[in-house]
Amino acid sequence: MVIEVKDLYKSFGDNEVIKGVTFDIKEGDIFGIIGQSGAGKSTLLRCFNGLEGYQSGSLLAFGKEVNKLSRSELRLVQKDMGMIFQNFNLLNRLNVYDNIALPLKFWKQNPKSAENDKRIRELLKLVGLEDKINAKPRELSGGQKQRVAIARALVMNPKVLLCDEATSALDPKITQDILSLIKKINEELGITVIMVTHQMEVVKQVCNEVVFLKKGKIVAKGKPEELFVSSNEDIKDFAGDDSDILPDKGVNIKLFFTESESADSPAITSIARELNVDFEIVQGKLENFRGRILGSLIINVDESIKDKVVDALEKRKIEWEVL
């Protein structure tokens, strides 16, 4: 495991921000930490690399208890964790090349050495900014600034990339480009990515695991498709639940299409033919989770055929609930 968190508590004075959270992050994950503002997401992320301490519980980074590391040991852990932020944190007086080189200078390395110069230029190519090597931040778009910040976070060859609301200041098209770049970094460089975000689309498109924080506690964790397709009340509230517009006659049954059943399956029409019944499709949602189309469907059936429909759903191992 890259990160192992067990019963972690973090307070600022009397304000308890993290309340007994437990989860693991595996090597190679793109791991999401989501929730509303004030949920404790960024504070938790900063505990990973020792920017914030914690009062109790355990947090292992690369097998080492972060709170017990000496200053020199903590610096080595931080070296293995590149970090990018919502506001980019670039130095306006430096050009793109020198902004990327900053961590090298911090570690007293010569950016102009053949090895480091090659590394910087390779990263510029990776993030698609070779032609901006001498540009200053004021000459760059928001997406380009974030690409510089990503290259800077990678210059020390980290094992983990921490992303603190890295796309929330960007428009939807630029967000898509940055997410594609992050997936490329994860796949080609083998870097574990941990993403703090309040943007559901970010989690759905790139994360393979997620924890959902609310007021410092984990209220859901697992694969994004499991959390968002078959939602608990906290996630429904976070995502926006429109079940209040459903018909008030008959029985509304929500079907979940996840691992066990393909979202484009003809199961519904098959059940209608098999039972020789009619029912109304009143609401549906299909979503793209890392290239897989999954979703949910709400049907309205007459009370008299409810049990037959439910039996047919059970037979096909389709998850369902009566709303």
Side-chain angles (χ1 to χ4, degrees):
M1 295 293 176
V2 174
I3 300 288
E4 298 172 73
V5 182
K6 186 174 182 180
D7 201 25
L8 194 74
Y9 285 83
K10 163 68 180 176
S11 300
F12 294 105
D14 295 331
N15 181 24
E16 200 169 58
V17 181
I18 305 297
K19 306 173 184 178
V21 302
T22 297
F23 61 93
D24 297 328
I25 301 175
K26 300 187 297 293
E27 183 177 353
D29 275 350
I30 302 183
F31 192 95
I33 302 173
I34 61 171
Q36 302 283 16
S37 296
K41 307 183 300 295
S42 294
T43 298
L44 179 58
L45 190 75
R46 290 166 64 86
C47 288
F48 294 165
N49 62 359
L51 293 180
E52 295 286 354
Y54 44 93
Q55 279 70 41
S56 66
S58 175
L59 198 167
L60 301 183
F62 313 117
K64 302 173 183 177
E65 187 69 50
V66 175
N67 251 14
K68 296 181 179 179
L69 296 177
S70 67
R71 187 171 180 177
S72 59
E73 289 172 330
L74 182 59
R75 287 187 70 212
L76 291 175
V77 167
Q78 292 171 342
K79 184 180 180 181
D80 281 334
M81 292 189 182
M83 194 165 187
I84 57 177
F85 305 89
Q86 177 180 350
N87 59 359
F88 320 126
N89 283 7
L90 302 181
L91 294 185
N92 291 322
R93 60 184 174 81
L94 300 181
N95 63 22
V96 166
Y97 184 101
D98 290 334
N99 264 290
I100 296 172
L102 272 176
L104 294 167
K105 293 181 178 179
F106 177 79
W107 285 92
K108 303 189 186 311
Q109 296 186 25
N110 178 13
K112 300 296 185 180
S113 70
E115 181 181 354
N116 285 333
D117 180 70
K118 179 183 178 183
R119 173 70 175 164
I120 293 171
R121 293 179 186 275
E122 286 174 346
L123 288 170
L124 280 166
K125 183 177 181 180
L126 176 70
V127 301
L129 291 178
E130 301 106 306
D131 60 333
K132 299 294 184 181
I133 187 170
N134 294 313
K136 296 288 183 67
R138 65 176 177 273
E139 302 171 65
L140 304 176
S141 68
Q144 290 170 332
K145 290 176 183 177
Q146 195 59 287
R147 288 172 181 269
V148 175
I150 291 171
R152 182 185 58 194
L154 297 176
V155 76
M156 297 304 299
N157 288 303
K159 298 175 183 177
V160 175
L161 181 62
L162 305 177
C163 305
D164 191 1
E165 297 283 8
T167 59
S168 60
L170 306 175
D171 66 41
K173 173 61 172 65
I174 301 302
T175 292
Q176 293 300 317
D177 293 342
I178 295 298
L179 293 180
S180 295
L181 176 58
I182 287 173
K183 285 200 292 185
K184 182 179 180 181
I185 288 166
N186 172 257
E187 293 167 0
E188 296 185 6
L189 303 183
I191 293 176
T192 303
V193 180
I194 305 173
M195 303 194 70
V196 158
T197 182
H198 65 273
Q199 296 173 295
M200 289 191 301
E201 291 307 311
V202 169
V203 170
K204 292 173 184 176
Q205 291 182 40
V206 300
C207 296
N208 62 290
E209 293 287 337
V210 61
V211 294
F212 187 103
L213 284 187
K214 181 178 180 180
K215 297 180 180 178
K217 294 183 178 181
I218 293 177
V219 293
K221 60 182 173 181
K223 296 183 180 301
E225 51 266 39
E226 295 169 349
L227 267 60
F228 286 104
V229 174
S230 181
S231 307
N232 64 25
E233 290 304 316
D234 290 306
I235 295 176
K236 287 177 182 177
D237 182 60
F238 179 70
D241 184 16
D242 50 6
S243 60
D244 57 337
I245 63 173
L246 297 176
D248 54 11
K249 62 178 179 62
V251 181
N252 296 304
I253 304 175
K254 187 171 186 178
L255 319 181
F256 305 108
F257 298 95
T258 54
E259 296 287 352
S260 61
E261 185 76 24
S262 170
D264 58 2
S265 165
I268 303 306
T269 52
S270 174
I271 290 172
R273 287 196 300 268
E274 176 186 318
L275 301 179
N276 193 26
V277 297
D278 294 321
F279 44 72
E280 182 183 2
I281 296 175
V282 295
Q283 195 179 114
K285 181 185 292 185
L286 293 178
E287 299 184 84
N288 189 334
F289 290 88
R290 306 185 309 285
R292 297 172 60 242
I293 304 302
L294 303 171
S296 61
L297 192 69
I298 300 176
I299 60 174
N300 182 269
V301 305
D302 189 85
E303 179 72 42
S304 63
I305 63 171
K306 172 195 162 187
D307 290 342
K308 288 183 179 181
V309 172
V310 167
D311 287 344
L313 293 173
E314 292 282 0
K315 178 181 176 182
R316 289 167 173 79
K317 297 182 179 179
I318 298 175
E319 296 180 61
W320 60 275
E321 69 174 346
V322 173
L323 301 178

